[in-house]
Amino acid sequence: MPEWRAPDGTEVNAALGFLNFLSRLVPDRRPARLFVALDADWRPEFRVAALPSYKSHRVAGPDDPPDPVDPQIRIIIELLGLFGITTVAAEGYEAEDVIATLVQRTSGPVEIVTGDRDLFAIVNDPNVRVLYTLRGVSELASVDESYIQAKYGIPGVHGIGEKTASQLVAKYGSLDAILAAPDLSATIRAKLRASADYLAAARKVVWMARDAPVTGGDGTLPKAPSDPAALDRAAKRYGLQAATTRLLEALAAAKAS
C-alpha cells in the first residue's frame, strides 16, 4: 500500500483509511447513533494485576522507534471532533470496556464494528452482534451466537488447538462445563489442569467492565459540522480533502434517509 502523506510530510494512511471506512460504513449500516470508542488506557492496572504479561509486547523500549500510528490517532480524534462524530472513553479502561458499558446501557439492537475478537464475548442474540472486519468495510462477518459456537477456541491452553477447542465448546457449551465434565478425556483434562493458572487469570483479563465511567457525546449523527471552515482547514493541513468530502456526503445522506 503506498504511503499517503500530508503536505508537511506527516504520514496519514491510518487517518485516510479510517475516514474512508466510515464513509462506507455509515450508508451501508445507517446507524441511529454512532460511537467511536477510544482507549484511555491500553494496559489497565486491573488486567496487568491479573496477568502481568498483558500486552507487555507492546511496551516500547528506550531504543525503539516511536509508534507511527500514535500521531495519526490524534489526527483521527481531531477530525472526528470537527465532524461532530461522538468519541467516547473511560479513564483507566480500554475501548472494549467502553463498548461493553454502552451495550449494557442500551436497549434494542447494537452492532459493534471491530477487528478485535475479544468483543465476541458480549454478543447476545438477538440484539447484540459484532460486525467483524475481515477485509475493511467491504467484508464484514456478522457474528452472532451460532457463529461463535462454530469458531470459538480456548486460547492459551497448550496442546489444545482451535479445532479441538471448538469441538469441546460445541459439546459442553462453556469453559466451566468443560472443566466439570465427568466424561472428559484424561489427555484433555491434563492439559486443562496444566493451564489452570493461565485460565484463572485469563477470565479476569478477558472480562469486560460494564460500568466504566464513560465520557463523551450521545452518539447523534451530525448532518453537518458545526464549524465547516475549521474542518476544511484541518482537511487541507493533512491532505485529506477528498476523504473528508466523502464522509460529509455520507453523513448528510444518512441523516436525510
Side-chain angles (χ1 to χ4, degrees):
M1 179 179 178
E3 286 190 357
W4 189 271
R5 293 187 177 273
D8 67 358
T10 302
E11 185 180 335
V12 292
N13 275 47
L16 173 65
F18 191 76
L19 293 180
N20 287 340
F21 183 93
L22 285 181
S23 297
R24 288 283 304 277
L25 182 71
V26 168
D28 284 354
R29 308 311 306 174
R30 299 188 179 278
R33 293 192 293 159
L34 175 67
F35 299 88
V36 177
L38 307 172
D39 287 328
D41 188 341
W42 59 267
R43 203 164 179 252
E45 180 57 35
F46 70 92
R47 290 196 169 101
V48 176
L51 193 66
S53 63
Y54 183 67
K55 290 187 178 178
S56 59
H57 62 287
R58 287 180 52 187
V59 178
D63 299 322
D64 290 340
D67 187 344
V69 176
D70 282 348
Q72 296 191 67
I73 291 174
R74 290 193 289 272
I75 293 171
I76 290 169
I77 293 171
E78 177 188 350
L79 292 173
L80 290 176
L82 292 171
F83 275 108
I85 294 173
T86 295
T87 58
V88 284
E91 190 64 33
Y93 292 85
E94 294 181 84
E96 62 192 43
D97 303 299
V98 173
I99 293 169
T101 297
L102 291 177
V103 168
Q104 184 71 21
R105 296 176 182 176
T106 304
S107 59
V110 175
E111 292 182 336
I112 302 163
V113 184
T114 182
D116 184 354
R117 287 187 294 179
D118 288 350
L119 283 156
F120 290 8
I122 58 175
V123 167
N124 186 11
D125 291 349
N127 281 338
V128 183
R129 64 173 172 165
V130 164
L131 300 179
Y132 183 63
T133 53
L134 297 173
R135 190 178 294 110
V137 75
S138 63
E139 189 175 350
L140 300 174
S142 181
V143 178
D144 56 13
E145 291 180 10
S146 63
Y147 181 103
I148 295 170
Q149 189 76 5
K151 300 290 186 180
Y152 192 77
I154 307 176
V157 177
H158 182 69
I160 298 181
E162 184 172 338
K163 181 178 179 181
T164 300
S166 297
Q167 292 171 345
L168 290 170
V169 173
K171 180 176 181 179
Y172 297 106
S174 70
L175 177 58
D176 286 331
I178 293 169
L179 294 172
D183 60 339
L184 201 63
S185 77
T187 300
I188 295 295
R189 190 179 301 280
K191 290 175 180 177
L192 290 171
R193 283 176 176 166
S195 294
D197 290 344
Y198 169 83
L199 288 171
R203 287 175 186 268
K204 297 178 183 178
V205 170
V206 173
W207 174 86
M208 283 168 239
R210 267 65 169 182
D211 57 353
V214 176
T215 58
D218 64 3
T220 299
L221 278 178
K223 185 174 183 178
S226 59
D227 190 344
L231 177 59
D232 185 58
R233 287 193 298 270
K236 289 177 179 175
R237 184 165 67 251
Y238 300 124
L240 295 170
Q241 297 99 313
T244 299
T245 298
R246 280 191 292 271
L247 183 50
L248 284 172
E249 292 172 349
L251 291 168
K255 291 295 287 188
S257 61

